Amino acid sequence: MAKRVLTTESGAPVADNQNSATAGAGGPILLQDQHLLEKLARFNRERIPERVVHARGSGAYGYFEVTDDVTGFTRADFLSEVGKRTETFIRFSTVADSLGGADAVRDPRGFALKFYTDEGNYDLVGNNTPVFFIKDPIKFPDFIHSQKRDPFTGKQEPDNVWDFWAHAPEATHQVTWLMGDRGIPASYRHMNGYGSHTYQWTNAEGEAFFVKYHFKTNQGVRSLSADQASELVGKDANSHQTDLLQAIERGVNPSWTLHVQVMPAADAADYRFNPFDLTKVWPHSDYPLQRVGRLVLDRNPDNVFAEVEQAAFSPNNFVPGIGPSPDKMLQGRLFAYADAHRYRLGVNHTHLPVNAPRTAVVDNYGRDGVHATRNGSRHDKNYEPNSYAGPAQTDAALAAPLAIHGWTGTHEAPAHTKDDDFLQAGELFRLMSEDEKGRLVANIAGGLSQVTRDDVIEKNLAHFHAADADYGKRVEEAVRALRED
């Protein structure tokens, strides 16, 4: 086999990769050493800005296979027939910590899935919890600032974390999820994934439905206690990455079964609470789970940077038959995610192999910018309409239109008869076993007792009392005991 030749970026062979060019044997380095300068300059630039949230992540390729007929609800081609398979890429992640953070920490997990469909890429960007802390995107930057490192101390501060939650009563439901047993998954393979938001499906007849996605792990849900997690972090900070990588390399391919809850669009207006509120779940008694298919992961990326760090997921990447809902948090993410990728990776991040469609043909008038690879030929125009046979619109909407009415301005979400920030948190608490309740209370008290301001503690205790009297009493007693020690 012929020996491979090391070259510079321009393809010139490198004569010496062990010694820099100098003025004499012991002299200073020469500015003319092009290979040295290029190598150092590239090294200085080989890191891109990490994600503001979801920085620490792992990914894998796989496929989604339809197992049940859902054509009565959506005309999406990749869901059009039982047995149809679509290639996928998934990225799991923690939310609050940096790229160098540990995996086994108490934090929501990102569950971002890219379907490489024949009609273009469809991105479903969710979490391992069915709800979230807030219901309006204007609060998102403040929420994340409260959870990340303090500008002065340089570390996460309980005062900041709990002060924000004290002023966001709608967070009580998600806090109960986070501080419960599922707050620290044993691995990425042993947790569920949720679309969390409400989305719209539209069938071939134009009928609209609102849906929620539930990916149920086929490995079974397994979680870690706080003590188990601390021990694991000390042994392997990359525990979830190690587990996912090794499982797939061994051929133990993790899988999830996708179910959806389906609400006829007409039900939304009169539902007892706002069905587009991200801090709430739809009771399964109202809208039972309906099976759709299974997701299987069977291939690890060859290069983590190229395929995991450069992977870009945007909730606004829809395909015909799937669209947005009036969920305010989703509406904000439709802009924010794509904009974040343009900042991190450049306007042409969709040209990168992990983000580019597999079978669908990309044909538009986007040109130029950093790393442009699809600028067209001399015969291609960069404007539309034109008389040169360029691509033209289809006049077929991806999803059904949403009816709107009222005055423009800043409005609170319209009240439904049973809108409440605490009801579902209380219901979740009452579903737990005594052991689960004990661990939940201990986890909350462990953090809340570190807060230095009594008023912040009292505001948070009021939320737990409002959710359930026993819940509030237990947390209050546990906090008091820890503060008296």
Side-chain angles (χ1 to χ4, degrees):
M1 179 182 291
K3 187 176 180 180
R4 295 169 62 185
V5 175
L6 178 65
T7 73
T8 64
E9 296 292 326
S10 61
V14 173
D16 191 339
N17 194 44
Q18 316 304 318
N19 304 288
S20 302
T22 59
I29 288 175
L30 296 174
L31 186 62
Q32 71 184 39
D33 190 339
Q34 184 263 347
H35 176 53
L36 170 67
L37 299 184
E38 180 179 84
K39 193 173 182 181
L40 292 179
R42 166 169 280 278
F43 178 76
N44 287 344
R45 293 163 174 80
E46 69 183 23
R47 295 291 181 269
I48 61 176
E50 69 175 41
R51 290 167 168 86
V52 177
V53 288
H54 297 279
R56 170 68 187 154
S58 303
Y61 291 95
Y63 63 86
F64 179 79
E65 181 177 8
V66 179
T67 58
D68 294 78
D69 183 10
V70 291
T71 55
F73 305 119
T74 179
R75 61 187 174 94
D77 180 71
F78 78 101
L79 300 174
S80 61
E81 57 182 299
V82 172
K84 185 161 188 172
R85 287 190 177 186
T86 300
E87 185 181 0
T88 62
F89 181 79
I90 194 168
R91 187 176 186 272
F92 304 107
S93 56
T94 54
V95 175
D97 215 339
S98 63
L99 184 59
D103 286 341
V105 295
R106 188 172 300 280
D107 201 13
R109 299 301 190 278
F111 194 98
L113 187 59
K114 188 181 296 291
F115 298 84
Y116 299 103
T117 87
D118 294 338
E119 296 180 301
N121 290 351
Y122 172 47
D123 289 352
L124 182 60
V125 187
N127 284 328
N128 71 328
T129 60
V131 293
F132 196 60
F133 299 93
I134 54 176
K135 60 181 74 173
D136 193 304
I138 203 167
K139 299 171 72 171
F140 186 75
D142 300 297
F143 164 63
I144 294 300
H145 288 164
S146 75
Q147 308 297 300
K148 292 180 79 71
R149 297 177 187 271
D150 181 84
F152 171 64
T153 66
K155 60 189 182 72
Q156 190 180 53
E157 292 292 344
D159 277 4
N160 299 351
V161 171
W162 289 96
D163 185 39
F164 182 88
W165 288 342
H167 292 87
E170 73 264 32
T172 309
H173 192 187
Q174 173 72 324
V175 169
T176 305
W177 272 90
L178 178 63
M179 296 299 174
D181 280 358
R182 297 195 184 190
I184 313 178
S187 78
Y188 290 133
R189 297 184 296 127
H190 294 93
M191 67 181 194
N192 294 335
Y194 302 89
S196 301
H197 295 290
T198 302
Y199 294 90
Q200 187 204 79
W201 276 8
T202 310
N203 65 18
E205 289 71 42
E207 295 176 291
F209 303 86
F210 293 118
V211 300
K212 283 185 176 288
Y213 295 87
H214 301 249
F215 288 85
K216 300 291 188 178
T217 175
N218 295 324
Q219 291 70 237
V221 173
R222 285 179 48 205
S223 303
L224 301 173
S225 68
D227 290 341
Q228 290 172 326
S230 295
E231 182 179 353
L232 182 57
V233 167
K235 292 178 178 178
D236 181 7
N238 306 301
S239 56
H240 289 27
Q241 164 70 10
T242 300
D243 176 85
L244 182 65
L245 176 74
Q246 292 182 350
I248 295 175
E249 289 296 294
R250 294 196 312 269
V252 181
N253 298 331
S255 66
W256 288 258
T257 299
L258 171 62
H259 300 81
V260 292
Q261 290 178 282
V262 181
M263 174 188 288
D267 289 9
D270 298 322
Y271 194 55
R272 63 182 180 277
F273 60 83
N274 182 359
F276 311 114
D277 181 347
L278 186 55
T279 68
K280 294 181 174 63
V281 297
W282 297 352
H284 292 184
S285 57
D286 290 349
Y287 300 101
L289 295 180
Q290 303 189 46
R291 193 176 66 176
V292 180
R294 66 181 184 129
L295 169 69
V296 179
L297 305 182
D298 59 6
R299 180 165 66 89
N300 284 310
D302 291 324
N303 185 285
V304 171
F305 175 79
E307 299 166 89
V308 180
E309 285 313 299
Q310 291 195 134
F313 301 85
S314 298
N316 59 3
N317 286 343
F318 293 115
V319 292
I322 302 178
S325 78
D327 180 336
K328 292 179 77 173
M329 282 295 293
L330 173 60
Q331 293 285 328
R333 295 175 84 202
L334 297 180
F335 163 76
Y337 272 60
D339 188 58
H341 302 318
R342 294 184 191 104
Y343 163 67
R344 292 184 64 244
L345 303 169
V347 70
N348 290 306
H349 64 273
T350 55
H351 297 196
L352 296 169
V354 70
N355 299 322
R358 293 290 194 266
T359 55
V361 175
V362 176
D363 195 1
N364 57 43
Y365 297 94
R367 296 289 187 272
D368 306 336
V370 177
H371 304 313
T373 61
R374 294 195 301 261
N375 268 355
S377 72
R378 67 175 68 182
H379 306 294
D380 295 312
K381 301 301 178 184
N382 64 347
Y383 60 89
E384 196 277 337
N386 62 62
S387 56
Y388 292 85
Q393 65 195 46
T394 65
D395 293 323
L398 297 185
L402 297 172
I404 60 173
H405 59 86
W407 298 94
T408 61
T410 56
H411 304 283
E412 293 185 4
H416 291 231
T417 57
K418 295 290 181 70
D419 273 333
D420 181 280
D421 288 330
F422 308 110
L423 175 66
Q424 292 197 352
E427 290 177 335
L428 178 59
F429 174 79
R430 290 186 288 274
L431 284 173
M432 296 179 181
S433 68
E434 279 302 307
D435 286 345
E436 289 173 323
K437 289 178 180 177
R439 289 188 291 270
L440 168 67
V441 169
N443 291 332
I444 292 174
L448 188 54
S449 63
Q450 298 177 51
V451 174
T452 60
R453 288 177 48 182
D454 290 344
D455 62 319
V456 172
I457 294 176
E458 292 302 320
K459 281 180 180 289
N460 279 285
L461 290 176
H463 296 169
F464 301 123
H465 280 290
D468 181 274
D470 184 46
Y471 189 7
K473 178 183 177 183
R474 292 191 190 199
V475 174
E476 184 171 1
E477 291 175 347
V479 170
R480 183 185 304 117
L482 289 173
R483 297 190 85 200
E484 291 174 349
D485 284 348

